Amino acid sequence: MTPPSPRLHRLKDTTLLTALIVFRTINACLVKTYFSPDEHWQALEVAHWITFGYGYLTWEWTVALRSVLHPALFAGLYKALAVLGIDDGWLFIYAPRLLQSLFAAIADFYAYQFADRLFENQLIANWTLFLSVTSWWNFFCSTRTLANSTEAALTIVALYYWPFSSVPPSSPSSPASSPSPSSPSEPAHSGKSSCQGHRTISLGIAFLTCVFRPTAAIMWIFMGVVLLIQYCMDSDRGSILTTLISVFIMSGSTILGTAILDSTLLYNEWVLTPINFLRVNVLQGISLFYGSSPWHWYLSQGLPLLFGIYLPFVLSGAWHALKSDTALNARMKHQVLYLSLWMLVVYSSLQHKEWRFLYPILYPLLPFAGHTFYNMFLPIYQDGTKSKSKMAITVVLLGVVIVNAVMAWYATMVHQRGVIDVMEWIRQEARVGQIRSAGFLMPCHSTPWLSSTHRRGAEPLNMWFVTCEPPLGNVDHATYKDESDIFYEDPVTFMDERVTKMAQENLTKDSHLIMFQDLLRSWPKMPQWMNNHGYREVKRTRENTMEF
């Protein structure tokens, strides 16, 4: 059983949340790199199209595969900026990420609250907050406009309110109304009516996560089944009935609400995007078109990257929690760990894998790492030797901060920065009339797009890129070639055919071509083709992205 923590000063929740918002706002401004196309093409481009009537809608939106709810968050922000007359410049580019920083701060805050509920120990909660704030992955990913980042934030909020036992959590509150951190045995939560209210909050947020990411249902089906089994074992027929009624009402309301939103803002017809998502990605296997990985990929790469140096501490804390059936909140801890294992097994069985897919289990598992750090320093806490305590803790804190800071710096300031810088350069050049049109000769979706070149009151730039549409409908996947395949088979022939077609349509050639330097190295004929058609290098970014 976790020993009682010493009396500590606990910051007011409002003070802590404000500090976290400030921190994540700074975090959002420091992210200068490109991670996943989805943060632009599945969020900002769609939001820009909804607000301004132009943007690029990828194939997922033409077949109604996704709900518009997530892009609608940023569309509302874009609309507000446009109404205020400030939809231009630096603010317009960073505004969506600043909005996302609010979700990131909420995720940090509820990871802290969740740890406090799980272990009822102030020091473990403090360690969890420290680990969340210093996590290189959170710094790299939490403020990006990915549906996964929003899903992860909503997940930890929903888990905090989830009725793991017959006694639910109270809302985060100030120290005046919170139990003393030195008294973990005191009941922190009570009230049958409160149980219904918090279960409703949790279920409502859970359904929202499934709208943002239909695969979130993998988590919440597990949690729902376990909850009903728990009620059955407790012979709590009232809770079974009210839970089923709540699920029925919320699922119906969510489906109806998102269908109305989708048909109003984008699709102009009634659609059920979760059904389309399941049919296209799972039953038709279209997701495999974008790559597959071996079953062990999440074990060998996903988890080590997601948790970084925290992984051994998470595993140690998980092991200690699983070994004990008598520890405080043991059943709750076991359920969190079994949930994470369930997620890992299910996602590992799917062939298409990405690091960000496991993001929702990061926050729930951080408290176990926090417990490990707490146990490491427990003898020091009990010793009372201040100099020894300060030195040991300082060394560990510095080590954790330095390792994560280096990783965060490289991931957010260096790696894949060129494709962000080139779009900023294009926007600035277009502002003074130096760019008429541009073609992107690189793998599809390698850069942000029209939402990043937006200029108030100006026409959208004429830009095109090499596409990679998947084989939809009755198409033979084995023989199908997308435009990207055709381009990389022979870039010179591809460009010759494009120039010929433009001449036939009386269109002028592109004023600029953007490419990675590797294209020129891999195809010796490309530099000559550029010279023959009057292109010359005018800009080179950090990662050797070139413009002609």
Side-chain angles (χ1 to χ4, degrees):
M1 181 173 179
T2 303
S5 59
R7 287 188 176 275
L8 297 171
H9 173 69
R10 179 185 174 102
L11 288 175
K12 289 185 178 180
D13 288 344
T14 52
T15 302
L16 177 58
L17 185 57
T18 301
L20 289 172
I21 291 174
V22 171
F23 172 74
R24 288 303 177 191
T25 299
I26 296 171
N27 180 178
C29 295
L30 292 177
V31 176
K32 307 288 186 182
T33 57
Y34 195 75
F35 171 40
S36 169
D38 282 11
E39 64 179 303
H40 300 279
W41 296 82
Q42 305 297 350
L44 303 186
E45 281 302 302
V46 183
H48 196 274
W49 191 94
I50 293 171
T51 307
F52 299 103
Y54 71 92
Y56 191 97
L57 298 181
T58 60
W59 66 272
E60 291 96 334
W61 301 95
T62 61
V63 298
L65 210 66
R66 296 174 181 264
S67 172
V68 77
L69 180 60
H70 182 240
L73 296 175
F74 306 110
L77 178 62
Y78 282 157
K79 187 65 176 179
L81 295 176
V83 170
L84 294 173
I86 52 176
D87 56 319
D88 202 356
W90 181 91
L91 177 61
F92 184 84
I93 301 301
Y94 276 87
R97 197 167 286 171
L98 294 176
L99 175 61
Q100 185 64 39
S101 68
L102 295 178
F103 288 100
I106 289 171
D108 291 324
F109 177 74
Y110 272 93
Y112 167 75
Q113 295 286 353
F114 185 68
D116 195 23
R117 181 188 176 195
L118 197 62
F119 289 93
E120 300 187 29
N121 184 298
Q122 183 66 58
L123 279 171
I124 295 177
N126 290 351
W127 275 112
T128 301
L129 178 63
F130 169 75
L131 297 175
S132 183
V133 168
T134 58
S135 165
W136 85 273
W137 177 269
N138 280 344
F139 199 90
F140 171 62
C141 197
S142 66
T143 62
R144 294 184 184 272
T145 53
L146 287 163
N148 307 89
S149 299
T150 307
E151 176 196 2
L154 292 177
T155 295
I156 190 59
V157 177
L159 285 176
Y160 172 77
Y161 289 111
W162 188 261
F164 286 94
S165 64
S166 58
V167 186
S170 60
S171 298
S173 56
S174 63
S177 59
S178 298
S180 169
S182 62
S183 305
S185 59
E186 294 179 12
H189 323 296
S190 61
K192 186 67 176 178
S193 60
S194 177
C195 177
Q196 304 300 329
H198 290 297
R199 181 170 56 204
T200 300
I201 292 173
S202 185
L203 286 172
I205 297 174
F207 277 110
L208 273 182
T209 65
C210 293
V211 175
F212 284 117
R213 291 280 304 169
T215 51
I218 295 171
M219 169 181 286
W220 296 112
I221 288 174
F222 176 92
M223 296 297 293
V225 170
V226 171
L227 181 63
L228 290 176
I229 292 175
Q230 174 184 307
Y231 287 151
C232 289
M233 294 176 63
D234 295 340
S235 299
D236 190 349
R237 296 180 180 179
S239 292
I240 294 174
L241 180 60
T242 54
T243 299
L244 291 176
I245 292 175
S246 296
V247 169
F248 178 77
I249 293 175
M250 289 185 184
S251 60
S253 301
T254 302
I255 293 172
L256 179 61
T258 54
I260 294 174
L261 188 68
D262 292 341
S263 62
T264 302
L265 295 182
L266 187 63
Y267 295 122
N268 297 319
E269 62 179 352
W270 288 94
V271 295
L272 293 177
T273 55
I275 301 300
N276 292 340
F277 184 92
L278 178 66
R279 173 178 55 83
V280 174
N281 273 335
V282 179
L283 300 182
Q284 296 181 9
I286 294 300
S287 62
L288 298 181
F289 182 75
Y290 295 102
S292 61
S293 302
W295 67 268
H296 59 76
W297 191 86
Y298 283 121
L299 293 175
S300 59
Q301 297 186 46
L303 290 179
L305 189 75
L306 189 68
F307 287 97
I309 61 171
Y310 298 161
L311 186 57
F313 303 102
V314 171
L315 295 177
S316 176
W319 175 250
H320 283 291
L322 287 173
K323 285 195 306 180
S324 176
D325 292 326
T326 59
L328 184 67
N329 295 330
R331 187 166 70 170
M332 180 180 174
K333 294 170 186 174
H334 291 178
Q335 189 172 336
V336 172
L337 294 174
Y338 292 146
L339 169 65
S340 301
L341 181 61
W342 162 258
M343 295 279 287
L344 182 61
V345 170
V346 173
Y347 275 110
S348 294
S349 68
L350 303 176
Q351 294 187 56
H352 181 64
K353 300 176 176 68
E354 295 187 40
W355 294 313
R356 57 195 173 95
F357 290 172
L358 282 184
Y359 195 3
I361 71 171
L362 173 69
Y363 294 110
L365 289 180
L366 282 182
F368 295 94
H371 186 217
T372 301
F373 275 90
Y374 172 79
N375 284 333
M376 287 170 54
F377 292 102
L378 185 58
I380 297 177
Y381 299 140
Q382 296 173 337
D383 184 358
T385 306
K386 292 185 178 180
S387 59
K388 181 180 178 181
S389 301
K390 289 182 178 179
M391 180 171 293
I393 293 177
T394 300
V395 170
V396 172
L397 294 183
L398 284 177
V400 170
V401 170
I402 290 173
V403 171
N404 280 283
V406 170
M407 295 177 68
W409 165 78
Y410 179 75
T412 60
M413 300 292 290
V414 179
H415 183 60
Q416 295 195 108
R417 176 166 180 167
V419 293
I420 298 293
D421 290 343
V422 71
M423 299 308 289
E424 172 62 20
W425 181 82
I426 288 175
R427 186 169 65 88
Q428 295 297 341
E429 290 294 296
R431 187 184 298 277
V432 294
Q434 295 300 308
I435 291 181
R436 184 184 68 254
S437 59
F440 289 70
L441 310 183
M442 54 182 66
C444 65
H445 310 138
S446 292
T447 68
W449 204 238
L450 292 173
S451 60
S452 67
T453 59
H454 177 91
R455 295 159 295 147
R456 178 172 175 79
E459 292 293 320
L461 276 175
N462 181 18
M463 302 191 300
W464 65 274
F465 65 96
V466 181
T467 63
C468 55
E469 303 297 314
L472 299 172
N474 297 321
V475 178
D476 186 357
H477 291 204
T479 59
Y480 175 79
K481 291 183 180 180
D482 62 23
E483 190 176 58
S484 183
D485 293 327
I486 298 172
F487 172 76
Y488 280 104
E489 283 181 351
D490 191 344
V492 172
T493 300
F494 180 95
M495 292 303 297
D496 281 337
E497 292 177 353
R498 176 173 174 80
V499 169
T500 300
K501 182 178 179 180
M502 293 180 70
Q504 293 172 347
E505 297 175 358
N506 294 321
L507 299 175
T508 57
K509 70 175 185 178
D510 300 301
S511 64
H512 291 71
L513 295 176
I514 296 89
M515 67 193 70
F516 291 115
Q517 189 177 36
D518 186 62
L519 181 65
L520 302 179
R521 292 173 177 173
S522 302
W523 292 90
K525 293 183 180 180
M526 279 301 294
Q528 185 61 45
W529 187 93
M530 297 290 178
N531 291 330
N532 293 342
H533 289 78
Y535 292 104
R536 61 182 179 83
E537 181 180 338
V538 296
K539 176 69 175 177
R540 183 186 295 262
T541 63
R542 293 187 181 189
E543 293 205 14
N544 296 325
T545 305
M546 304 174 66
E547 300 84 38
F548 288 86

